[in-house]
Amino acid sequence: TTGISIEAGATSASPLDCEIQQLLVDRPGKNILLLDSSKLDAPSLMSFCELKDIDCMIIDKEPPAKYVSYMKENDIKLIY
């Protein structure tokens, strides 16, 4: 993941990485996104999924309130 935003979702700068990540998100099972806080509000060229498609986000520190609210509203587990 190159970066995420609520509007763009999870993004990647590499077409190959994006294609692989799309395939992984589409598979059955839980989708866990692991990232550091520098990736927030830093979307890249191509989106591979909307944040609502994530089941759990693990991040190094508490994200801004808009992300905390979004995660709660969309029943996404947030670990920091």
Side-chain angles (χ1 to χ4, degrees):
T1 303
T2 304
I4 70 165
S5 73
I6 292 173
E7 299 77 23
T11 65
S12 179
S14 164
L16 180 58
D17 285 349
C18 192
E19 185 177 340
I20 291 167
Q21 290 167 336
Q22 284 174 333
L23 290 170
L24 292 172
V25 169
D26 290 342
R27 293 182 64 183
K30 300 276 183 193
N31 291 312
I32 300 171
L33 184 63
L34 174 65
L35 68 150
D36 65 85
S37 55
S38 70
K39 308 287 187 183
L40 297 174
D41 293 323
S44 190
L45 300 174
M46 301 182 327
S47 176
F48 61 86
C49 76
E50 295 182 43
L51 291 186
K52 66 180 181 139
D53 297 328
I54 302 297
D55 298 298
C56 177
M57 184 169 88
I58 303 171
I59 190 165
D60 61 326
K61 64 181 183 179
E62 184 175 6
K66 68 180 182 177
Y67 284 95
V68 174
S69 296
Y70 183 90
M71 300 298 165
K72 284 181 183 175
E73 291 169 10
N74 289 281
D75 197 30
I76 300 167
K77 185 174 185 176
L78 178 61
I79 300 172
Y80 53 91

